[in-house]
């Protein structure tokens, strides 16, 4: 009987464990997770802090008991793997009961990522938070409740904007205008905090198109977020706890600050075992997610993967890739090799009352470095037929290669519910299948007045960009 | 100087005229339109009758004056082309001023389609309507106003369900459960008519999957539409005007009946000129929309086009194809040959509070006739993350070829606003690019909790179907 050992019990790890056991019930599947939570939807944490979700348990898709009893997986929470020996095919795990050694035939490293704490003065004082784990989420929700002198939290109002209190007093700082920063700005504003958002560079959502980012920035301001662009945070002032956020130009008094400055892969365990990292600093794998050591795989936020546009390694630590690659490794280990597909750098975010998505290559410098001659156009179109009630506006940015006409990437933004994110599905296919802008603009996409103009904004963007090539 | 003559001034015709003139301003562009309306959004008529749109003029995207003055197109409304002579390259048009002959270098036949009036006893009596033209739309709106003894119409309430009157009295019959039938059921129900919908076959929206159609039928009943499946209408009873709809089993008293039993291409003019029809009964063209006569093109609802899945001719008379192919012909005539792409049979419809879309091949008999071995699966999934508020359900049907794994078609249905239609964009790409279900299920689609589960329902459907191949 063969043994499959998984290090890390979140998206990639539990997807792999579940798929392997389902495909090959004879396999022994052992998962080591250092914490107590497994298979949780960290993406839901901002909505828990906002108050739209009442308990952390709601974020858990499958409980440890279900993995153990229904899926027959030997899941050991509270076990931290401290050593991997790929020569002897043994891992060492540490728990409150001491150390144990577990041999394996196949190993998956799914150690995830950790929130980056940038080298800012005062980043370690009380009141400066990150949001990388369920524990972080709990602390932030407690902060919200405590700060509002409401404990336990009242039930929020129904509807998308829920408020624990009517009045607005406390100011909070959010450092970083990525997904976490923006989702947390929404969560905190909904709880009547005065939100100050600091972005080091000139655009929020820096991987999205400039046009998308500008619309998001404009909307953040419409929602009374104080937005500071080109504003690197230099220090958090405070003695016992945080008192202010400082940049070169500003000093903003706050009662809390959240660091939403990205994540980095947890690679120490792999590195110590002689497993190679790639150019992105994450664990390098082939298309089957296998590392440089035979039968040792890596998937999820600790690993890089090939980009569907460039074919080169990319580090895009997001939930779907973790699920997809974890599942593929599980299938491979169970006997049917599966690759799980590359990454397109696709991402989506809701920001208050708007939504945005992006995929592929948009940035011209990145595109040029990959050997393309990028051309970009942005169009603004109605989200429904012009005569149909209650529509909004969709802005579509498309980037293509001038010579080949190939679609390299795209970025969309619209009012929430007007389809920027779901429409982006068409662009994921376009970049993955390497079609031209002309081909895209001739797609027979669905049309009816309640959903789009006769030419969906995606098609209009294709036509306009095609005319510029 | 070269002359481009267009017969028919709606979507295909005006798209061609506009594109040709824009690309080659030296071209003489003459459009003959027998009616007074050009370039109108017939797809909006149900919403005009419903009362969500106040005037027919709102459905017009570009007015005749704009075509003439801004786009420099010689648009002659009230001119019916009665003869085409492809040997001498001359058309004959008739107007109130008599007949004129116009020579051409390039000709586009864009005569559109007309509503089918099936051979039902009493189909010609007063109170039996079709919805094929602006005039039809006006008559139906007048019927609604007259029947409610409200003339002129009151302003409807805001919001999607608007009512001219509070009470409900009149019963109306809708014959046919396609887009027009369902959209008109919504429009009439919103005006407090008791709607009886008769469908000859066993499913409404017969080109959609059975699972989609069942959900739509269920929803029609939830909305108090009296739905009669497998119920062919045999007669309309009435002397001066309609009194009842009769099937083999039922006699339902109504004050009006609408025929939504499809359209057929207007081909008489082309046939008389020796232009060939294809196997579907519509005008045959090559991929550049050129007919069997040199420099004579046909596009829009009068023409067939190659299906992207089968490569065979198909007749799918819908607005986007008319626009796309008209535009392609305009570009070709102006000197840069363009094909405009095939049809995927994509369609979308809103039915009261739900939305549905379909693309490609779903029906097994059709798929088998095209040489495939079809396998179909339907999944039901949450439209947003399970823990995220206010989500709904998306049902996705996918059909693939067993041997190759190729995606042949798909069908989706969800609550209105939960993305069935926009998500279908991903499937249009899949069938057009001939990818496999496995490839589709590994797409890096956008994910965030307010928009989908980590695996979008499209991906889940792909995984499930892939496991059945």
């Amino acid at each position: 009987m063969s043994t499959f050992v998984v290090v890390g019990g979140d998206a990639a790890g539990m997807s792999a464990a579940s798929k392997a056991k389902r495909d090959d019930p004879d396999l022994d599947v052992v998962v080591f997770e250092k914490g107590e939570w497994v298979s949780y939807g960290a993406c839901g944490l901002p909505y828990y802090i906002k108050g739209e979700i009442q308990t952390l348990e709601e974020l858990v898709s499958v409980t440890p008991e279900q993995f153990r009893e229904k899926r027959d997986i030997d899941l050991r929470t509270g076990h931290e793997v401290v050593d991997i020996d790929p020569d002897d095919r043994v891992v060492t795990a540490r728990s409150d009961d001491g150390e144990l050694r577990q041999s394996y035939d196949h190993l998956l490293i799914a150690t995830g990522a950790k929130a980056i704490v940038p080298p800012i003065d005062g980043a370690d004082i009380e009141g400066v938070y990150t949001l990388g784990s369920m524990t972080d989420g709990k602390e932030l929700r407690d902060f919200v409740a405590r700060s509002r002198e409401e404990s336990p939290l009242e039930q929020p109002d129904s509807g998308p904007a829920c408020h624990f209190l009517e009045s607005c007093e406390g100011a909070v700082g959010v450092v970083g205008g990525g997904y976490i920063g923006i989702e947390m700005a929404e969560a905190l504003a909904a709880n009547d905090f005065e939100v100050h958002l600091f972005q080091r560079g000139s655009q929020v959502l820096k991987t999205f198109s400039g046009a998308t980012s500008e619309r998001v920035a404009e909307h953040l301001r419409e929602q009374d977020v104080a937005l500071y662009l080109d504003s690197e945070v230099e220090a958090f002032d405070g003695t016992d706890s945080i008192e202010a956020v400082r940049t070169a130009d500003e000093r903003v008094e706050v009662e809390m600050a959240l660091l939403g400055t990205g994540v980095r892969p947890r690679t120490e365990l792999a590195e110590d075992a002689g497993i190679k990292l790639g150019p992105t600093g994450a664990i390098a794998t082939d298309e089957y997610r296998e590392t440089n050591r035979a039968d040792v795989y890596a998937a999820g936020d600790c690993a890089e993967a090939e980009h569907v546009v460039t074919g080169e390694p990319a580090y895009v630590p997001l939930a779907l890739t973790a699920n997809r690659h974890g599942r593929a490794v599980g299938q491979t280990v169970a006997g049917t090799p599966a690759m799980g597909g590359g990454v397109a750098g696709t991402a989506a975010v809701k920001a208050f009352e708007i939504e945005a998505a992006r995929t592929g290559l948009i940035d011209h410098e990145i595109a040029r470095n990959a050997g393309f001659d990028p051309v970009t156009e942005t169009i603004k179109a109605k989200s429904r037929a012009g005569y149909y009630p209650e529509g909004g506006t969709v802005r579509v940015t498309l980037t293509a290669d001038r010579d080949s006409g190939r679609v390299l990437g795209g970025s969309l933004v619209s009012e929430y519910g007007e389809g920027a994110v779901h429409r982006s599905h068409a662009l994921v296919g376009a970049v993955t299948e390497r079609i031209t802008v002309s081909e895209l603009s001739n797609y027979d996409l669905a049309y009816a007045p309640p959903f789009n103009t006769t030419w969906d904004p995606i098609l209009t963007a294709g036509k306009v960009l095609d005319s510029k090539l």
Side-chain angles (χ1 to χ4, degrees), chain A:
Chain A
M1 193 146 75
S2 189
T3 301
F4 177 33
V5 170
V6 174
V7 185
D10 200 3
M14 297 319 296
S15 294
S18 299
K19 177 66 174 168
K21 190 74 190 176
R22 189 162 60 245
D23 285 8
D24 179 5
D26 289 338
L27 203 63
D28 257 345
V29 179
V30 183
V31 179
F32 295 109
E33 164 56 44
K34 71 176 175 183
E36 294 304 321
W37 298 96
V38 297
S39 188
Y40 59 89
C43 308
L45 286 172
Y47 306 101
Y48 166 71
I49 296 159
K50 184 178 180 184
E52 290 183 323
I53 300 162
Q54 295 317 309
T55 65
L56 281 178
E57 285 71 17
E58 290 173 58
L59 298 182
V60 174
S61 51
V62 184
T63 65
E65 293 66 38
Q66 289 169 328
F67 279 116
R68 291 178 187 125
E69 287 157 28
K70 293 195 180 164
R71 302 195 183 178
D72 197 18
I73 291 166
D74 183 1
L75 167 61
R76 308 190 198 172
T77 49
H79 281 69
E80 181 176 8
V81 172
V82 294
D83 185 66
I84 295 169
D85 181 343
D87 295 324
D88 288 348
R89 299 192 172 221
V90 171
V91 303
T92 305
R94 192 176 287 158
S95 73
D96 290 346
D97 299 331
E99 277 190 7
L100 66 84
R101 285 164 58 81
Q102 170 69 52
S103 65
Y104 66 80
D105 298 287
H106 312 275
L107 179 72
L108 171 62
I109 301 173
T111 43
K114 56 178 174 250
I116 292 172
V117 178
I120 298 174
D121 274 359
D124 57 349
I125 62 174
E126 200 179 310
V128 179
Y129 295 83
T130 55
L131 181 57
S133 68
M134 295 288 260
T135 309
D136 292 342
K138 184 75 174 64
E139 286 176 6
L140 277 159
R141 173 127 167 177
D142 288 347
F143 161 79
V144 168
R146 205 167 54 238
S147 173
R148 306 289 84 199
E149 299 180 323
E150 291 280 328
S151 184
L153 291 171
E154 281 181 17
Q155 191 75 9
D157 297 343
S158 61
C162 52
H163 304 265
F164 297 136
L165 271 189
E166 294 303 317
S167 64
C168 174
E169 286 179 37
V172 294
V174 174
V175 183
Y179 327 121
I180 295 287
I182 284 175
E183 289 168 351
M184 283 302 299
E186 176 184 324
L188 293 163
N191 283 287
D192 288 326
F193 288 96
E194 180 186 298
V195 178
H196 298 259
L197 196 155
F198 302 88
Q199 172 71 341
R200 190 168 58 175
S202 61
Q203 69 175 71
V204 295
L205 297 174
K206 67 180 179 189
T207 68
F208 289 58
S209 74
T212 297
S213 298
E214 277 170 30
R215 175 66 194 120
V216 172
E218 178 185 60
H219 185 66
L220 291 173
R221 290 181 168 126
E222 287 164 3
Q223 297 287 328
D224 293 328
V225 172
L227 181 60
Y228 306 81
L229 297 177
D230 294 312
S231 295
E232 183 157 10
V233 171
E234 296 183 343
F236 299 109
D237 289 349
T239 47
D240 289 344
S241 67
I242 187 168
E243 288 165 15
V245 178
R246 266 205 289 117
T247 68
D249 302 321
E250 308 271 351
R251 184 180 185 277
V252 180
E253 294 194 1
V254 298
E255 57 184 65
M256 174 274 239
L258 174 84
L259 290 169
T261 45
V263 299
R264 69 163 56 98
R266 282 203 188 86
T267 57
E268 297 79 2
L269 191 64
E271 286 182 88
D272 289 348
I275 289 162
K276 283 192 184 151
L277 306 188
T280 70
I283 301 171
T285 72
D286 65 13
E287 289 182 333
Y288 291 88
R289 317 307 149 204
E290 196 169 22
T291 68
N292 62 308
R293 297 303 302 250
D295 300 319
V296 179
Y297 300 84
D301 290 0
C302 63
E304 57 185 35
E306 71 283 4
H307 195 286
V308 298
V309 176
T310 64
E312 296 298 313
Y315 179 60
V316 189
L318 288 173
L320 174 59
T321 305
N323 275 273
R324 223 170 58 223
H325 289 173
R327 184 175 186 271
V329 169
Q331 185 175 329
T332 299
V333 165
T336 309
M339 298 194 285
V343 296
T346 314
V349 67
K350 173 175 177 287
F352 294 85
E353 299 305 318
I354 66 175
E355 60 178 79
R358 61 90 63 217
T359 192
L361 304 188
I362 300 168
D363 183 87
H364 281 206
E365 194 180 330
I366 294 172
R368 276 193 295 267
N369 288 342
F372 299 108
D373 180 8
V375 185
T376 294
E377 283 290 327
T378 296
I379 64 106
K380 193 173 143 181
K382 289 192 159 68
S383 63
R384 311 183 192 184
Y387 50 75
Y388 194 84
E390 293 179 54
T393 302
V394 186
R395 288 168 172 82
V396 183
T397 305
L398 276 185
T399 299
D401 177 48
R402 189 185 300 278
D403 294 336
S404 63
R406 183 176 157 195
V407 181
L408 300 177
S411 183
L412 302 94
V413 60
S414 72
E415 292 83 2
Y416 182 51
E418 295 301 319
V421 171
H422 295 144
R423 282 180 227 251
S424 79
H425 284 8
L427 297 184
V428 174
V431 302
T432 306
E433 304 309 326
R434 309 188 168 202
I435 67 168
T436 65
V437 184
S438 170
E439 288 168 334
L440 175 64
S441 68
N442 286 323
Y443 265 15
D444 190 17
L445 295 185
Y447 158 65
F451 309 102
N452 42 15
T453 43
T454 311
W455 298 86
D456 188 273
I458 295 271
L459 302 175
T460 302
K463 282 195 295 180
V464 171
L465 179 53
D466 195 34
S467 72
K468 301 295 168 67
L469 296 179

